[in-house]
């Protein structure tokens, strides 16, 4: 199945979309990768959802990625007497390690990590930023804060610390159990929450190894400060705009989205833009004009994927939301200004053979006006380098490895196809032409560019580029070396 767009669509599965027949309809409507949110999914639920996705992929003979989103640490205040208290602007409020019912003056805070990391002057955000306080004093048992923005605060509401680097990693005990389970299931991508620094990613890498690709969620100010190192340590990046907009001024989020997207693209790492993209479609069959523009901006910026959360997990119109996302992307990519805007960010090739080959492939394909680029890839590295250039023609990723095909389903522009290794260079060219022809990427007397970054049975195939034209049966009729 060939998509009519290059940006990919990620959809979160949930109560509204857990049935196999609904998952199939979502795939047919345009989903490339399904997200399982472990914050709300039991191990049995995760297994059932993954089995359904794999069944749909097998039925349609199309690789579909599965992304497991690990919850990460969550910090919440304790219980209030009566369930809720009103905190006045300008008041002094205390967070106490002693466990007792809260009031308008104090509340239990059951997280020693916060007492260890917070310092006077740091901001505290409660209930998704609705209440704001500044720390004035700290002891080992009490944090005293000035209320900047008060309001009604309920039991077990969340607390965020945008200025504090907490002495804690990204995995809780629950997360470690969830991670072990989804790795055993064989998910393709792991999304990591609460990433504060590159070291967090590297520590998880020691657990995961090469069993799944790591997608780091940028949602904390400390991650922005270590962004380059986090990107280098990750396989992909997610712009988690919801949490980022809570912990930082919301007016900074659009600029940060562009900065993160630009840096990830320059590094050749897939970047996903997420949160509230079509939020109104949770309860409405059509989005707002502002939401459409928001999705379009991510596509114009060259993001690899755009993601739906509650819209597809619990929304009343999940199919319509996917169809809308698909239509927006197709419209943007056909806009006359799209190529200029997506290439406004220049990506300088790195001084490696793979990058040189990828840049050359882009230039040759554009100059000769070919119909498609075909990449033979075992790990996905060759295809990633080619798509980093954002060429203006379709890219096919041919691989004998199913996990590689599924991981590439998140990557901009790549249509993954499973195929056995070619035996010779001649077989490589013939196979690439036939598959491109059968999949509708090339017409008779049109050409494809074929590249490979690994031997595939012949030392001469390493970092290889070939141009071939096809006849009416998809066989090569001319080859340029």
């Amino acid at each position: 199945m060939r998509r009519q767009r290059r940006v990919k669509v990620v959809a979160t599965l949930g109560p509204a979309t857990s049935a196999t027949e609904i998952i199939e309809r979502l795939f047919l409507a345009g989903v490339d990768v399904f997200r399982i949110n472990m914050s709300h999914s039991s191990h049995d639920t995760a297994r059932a959802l993954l089995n359904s996705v794999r069944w749909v992929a097998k039925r349609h003979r199309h690789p579909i990625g599965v992304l497991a989103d690990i919850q990460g640490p969550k910090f919440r205040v304790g219980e209030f007497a009566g369930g809720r208290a009103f905190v006045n602007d300008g008041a002094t409020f205390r967070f106490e390690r002693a466990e007792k019912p809260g009031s308008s003056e104090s509340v239990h805070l059951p997280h020693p990590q916060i007492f260890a990391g917070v310092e006077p002057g740091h901001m505290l955000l409660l209930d998704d930023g609705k209440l704001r306080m500044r720390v004035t004093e700290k002891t080992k048992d009490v944090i005293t804060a000035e209320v900047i923005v008060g309001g009604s605060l309920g039991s077990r509401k969340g607390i965020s610390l945008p200025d504090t680097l907490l002495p804690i990693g990204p995995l809780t005990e629950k997360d470690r159990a969830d991670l072990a389970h989804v790795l055993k299931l064989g998910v393709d991508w792991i999304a990591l929450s609460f990433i504060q620094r590159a070291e967090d990613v590297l520590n998880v890498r020691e657990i995961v190894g090469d069993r799944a690709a790591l997608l780091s969620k940028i949602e904390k100010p400390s991650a922005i400060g270590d962004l380059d190192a986090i990107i280098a340590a990750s396989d992909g990046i997610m712009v988690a705009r919801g949490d980022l907009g809570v912990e930082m001024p919301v007016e900074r989020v659009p600029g940060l989205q562009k900065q993160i997207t630009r840096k990830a693209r320059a590094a050749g790492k897939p970047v996903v833009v997420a949160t509230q993209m079509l939020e109104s479609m949770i309860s409405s069959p059509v989005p707002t004009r502002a939401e459409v523009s928001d999705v379009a901006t991510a596509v114009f910026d060259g993001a690899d994927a755009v993601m739906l959360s509650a819209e597809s997990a619990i929304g009343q119109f999940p199919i319509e939301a996917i169809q809308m996302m698909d239509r927006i992307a197709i419209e943007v990519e056909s806009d006359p200004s799209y190529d200029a805007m997506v290439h406004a960010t220049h990506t300088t090739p790195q001084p490696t053979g793979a990058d040189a080959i990828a840049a050359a492939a882009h230039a040759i394909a554009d100059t000769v006006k070919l119909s498609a680029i075909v990449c033979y890839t075992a790990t996905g590295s060759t295809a990633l380098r080619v798509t980093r250039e954002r060429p203006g023609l379709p890219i096919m990723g041919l691989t004998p490895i199913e996990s590689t095909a599924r991981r590439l389903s998140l990557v901009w522009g790549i249509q993954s196809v499973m195929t056995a290794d070619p035996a010779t260079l001649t077989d490589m060219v013939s196979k690439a032409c036939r598959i491109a022809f059968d999949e509708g990427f090339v017409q008779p007397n049109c050409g494809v560019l074929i590249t490979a970054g690994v031997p595939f049975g012949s030392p001469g195939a390493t970092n290889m580029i070939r141009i071939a034209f096809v006849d009416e049966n998809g066989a090569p009729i001319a080859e340029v070396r």
Side-chain angles (χ1 to χ4, degrees):
M1 175 181 291
R2 179 183 175 184
R3 303 293 191 201
Q4 299 304 311
R5 52 174 160 76
R6 284 165 280 185
V7 70
K8 301 301 180 66
V9 173
V10 181
T12 303
L13 296 174
T17 49
S18 59
T20 302
E21 57 269 23
I22 299 299
I23 293 174
E24 183 175 25
R25 290 181 62 192
L26 290 171
F27 164 71
L28 293 173
V31 175
D32 301 290
V33 177
F34 286 100
R35 171 178 175 248
I36 300 174
N37 187 354
M38 296 308 295
S39 296
H40 305 294
S41 300
S42 68
H43 288 187
D44 287 343
T45 298
R47 181 184 296 106
L49 292 175
L50 183 134
N51 288 341
S52 292
V53 174
R54 296 292 188 243
W55 181 88
V56 172
K58 184 176 181 179
R59 175 183 173 90
H60 293 276
R61 294 189 298 174
H62 187 93
I64 305 173
V66 175
L67 165 69
D69 198 324
I70 304 301
Q71 176 177 287
K74 297 293 181 185
F75 300 111
R76 301 183 184 277
V77 300
E79 302 286 339
F80 285 96
R84 185 170 292 274
F86 194 88
V87 183
N88 291 310
D89 293 1
T92 296
F93 193 81
R94 300 186 309 279
F95 298 89
E96 302 178 348
R97 294 189 71 169
E99 188 171 355
K100 61 181 181 179
S103 66
S104 60
E105 298 178 349
S106 67
V107 70
H108 172 52
L109 186 61
H111 302 292
Q113 305 94 332
I114 294 180
F115 287 87
V118 76
E119 297 292 344
H122 288 189
M123 291 297 298
L124 305 175
L125 310 178
L126 296 106
D127 195 6
D128 289 335
K130 296 183 180 69
L131 287 79
R132 306 175 69 87
M133 304 183 189
R134 181 182 292 113
V135 176
T136 57
E137 186 180 353
K138 182 193 83 167
T139 69
K140 66 186 181 76
D141 295 317
V142 178
I143 297 169
T144 304
E146 176 191 2
V147 180
I148 307 301
V149 179
S152 179
L153 182 60
S155 297
R156 305 292 300 159
K157 289 298 183 181
I159 179 170
S160 300
L161 300 92
D163 303 324
T164 306
L165 184 62
L166 292 168
I168 186 174
L171 299 179
T172 65
E173 288 305 310
K174 166 185 161 45
D175 297 328
R176 290 179 182 277
D178 289 346
L179 181 60
H181 180 69
V182 298
L183 287 173
K184 184 178 180 181
L185 291 178
V187 300
D188 308 298
W189 287 86
I190 302 290
L192 299 176
S193 303
F194 209 85
I195 295 298
Q196 299 184 92
R197 56 207 158 224
E199 180 184 352
D200 295 335
V201 186
L202 296 173
N203 288 340
V204 178
R205 177 81 67 187
E206 292 182 1
I207 301 171
V208 175
D210 60 0
R211 291 180 287 173
L214 297 184
L215 189 77
S216 294
K217 297 164 68 175
I218 306 301
E219 55 190 4
K220 297 190 70 62
S222 55
I224 298 297
D226 202 25
L227 183 59
D228 290 344
I230 289 173
I231 291 174
S234 307
D235 298 305
I237 295 294
M238 180 186 293
V239 188
R241 305 181 306 173
D243 289 318
L244 198 58
V246 169
E247 299 214 6
M248 304 188 74
V250 292
E251 63 270 18
R252 289 195 59 194
V253 173
L256 288 172
Q257 175 179 318
K258 288 182 177 293
Q259 176 187 339
I260 297 165
T261 301
R262 182 174 64 251
K263 285 179 174 289
R265 281 187 53 192
K269 304 292 179 74
V271 57
V272 180
V273 177
T275 318
Q276 298 176 328
M277 302 213 79
L278 297 176
E279 184 86 352
S280 66
M281 291 193 74
I282 295 173
S283 57
S284 170
V286 294
T288 67
R289 305 320 186 253
E291 288 167 340
V292 172
S293 294
D294 181 37
V295 175
T297 295
V299 179
F300 273 124
D301 286 344
D304 288 79
V306 286
M307 190 179 97
L308 296 176
S309 299
E311 301 95 328
S312 58
I314 61 172
Q316 299 177 36
F317 304 95
I319 305 299
E320 291 84 352
I322 298 301
Q323 292 170 336
M324 177 57 65
M325 193 77 90
D326 185 67
R327 292 201 301 271
I328 295 169
I330 291 172
E331 185 67 25
V332 168
E333 292 180 3
S334 63
D335 188 277
S337 64
Y338 174 73
D339 284 342
M341 294 185 70
V342 84
H343 289 115
T345 299
H346 177 67
T347 54
T348 303
Q350 298 176 10
T352 66
D355 274 72
I357 290 295
H362 183 190
I364 293 169
D366 280 351
T367 301
V368 184
K369 304 302 181 186
L370 301 174
S371 296
I373 297 175
V374 179
C375 303
Y376 282 95
T377 184
T379 64
S381 176
T382 300
L384 281 170
R385 290 302 179 187
V386 170
T387 192
R388 175 178 176 265
E389 302 295 321
R390 296 297 190 263
L393 66 165
I395 307 167
M396 298 188 69
L398 306 188
T399 181
I401 302 171
E402 188 173 3
S403 60
T404 296
R406 293 198 300 255
R407 290 182 192 181
L408 289 174
S409 63
L410 187 73
V411 181
W412 185 95
I414 296 180
Q415 168 93 16
S416 297
V417 177
M418 292 287 299
T419 183
D421 279 351
T424 64
L425 285 177
T426 300
D427 185 35
M428 179 181 287
V429 172
S430 297
K431 184 186 290 285
C433 290
R434 185 179 68 254
I435 293 175
F437 182 82
D438 291 343
E439 295 286 336
F441 285 90
V442 62
Q443 301 298 318
N445 299 312
C446 294
V448 296
L449 185 144
I450 305 155
T451 182
V454 292
F456 281 103
S458 172
T462 302
N463 291 335
M464 178 208 77
I465 289 182
R466 296 287 190 273
I467 299 172
F469 293 84
V470 304
D471 63 16
E472 64 277 5
N473 297 313
I477 54 176
E479 181 182 341
V480 180
R481 300 191 178 191

